[in-house]
Amino acid sequence: QVQLVETGGGLVQAGDSLRLSCTASGRSFSSYAMSWFRQAPGEERKFVAGINWNGDTTLYANDVKGRFAISRDNAKNTAFLQMNSLKTEDTDVYYCAALLSRVVGGGADDYDYWGEGNQVTVSS
């Protein structure tokens, strides 16, 4: 069993930056690909960014490419999402997720463990 605890959300202004962290309990963090998803009320979770087990492969949704960066520190069992140049349309609840695979990918239904979600609000 893996538990994911997210920190770092909050209220910022457009153009600001935030960094989300996702710390996993348990062993074998490096066995998991890690991703971030976002969800608005009444909508499905959407993929934001993902990283493979050792960090040498990353994927991004088109609307965050060049602004967001995903990374991980396996020694600290933690994944990060650095969000720069935030826009009001980035406002959502952000979830980290773990996939028992060394290869990143798949949809939300493929992921094995989820964090509790962290609100990010960007004001104009």
Side-chain angles (χ1 to χ4, degrees), residues 4 6-7 36 45 93-96 114-120:
L4 303 177
E6 301 155 357
T7 58
W36 293 89
R45 289 184 186 181
V93 177
Y94 285 72
Y95 296 87
C96 71
W114 290 86
E116 72 280 8
N118 215 341
Q119 177 70 47
V120 172

Side-chain angles (χ1 to χ4, degrees), residues 52-120:
N52 76 328
W53 73 281
N54 67 354
D56 66 2
T57 301
T58 56
L59 300 175
Y60 295 95
N62 287 335
D63 57 349
V64 305
K65 279 182 183 176
R67 299 189 299 122
F68 290 12
I70 189 171
S71 61
R72 66 189 295 159
D73 184 342
N74 286 348
K76 297 181 178 179
N77 283 10
T78 302
F80 304 95
L81 184 67
Q82 178 67 43
M83 303 185 291
N84 299 324
S85 303
L86 282 161
K87 305 176 180 180
T88 55
E89 52 263 43
D90 294 321
T91 296
D92 260 333
V93 177
Y94 285 72
Y95 296 87
C96 71
L99 173 67
L100 185 54
S101 169
R102 292 193 162 189
V103 178
V104 64
D109 290 345
D110 296 316
Y111 281 74
D112 300 288
Y113 301 101
W114 290 86
E116 72 280 8
N118 215 341
Q119 177 70 47
V120 172

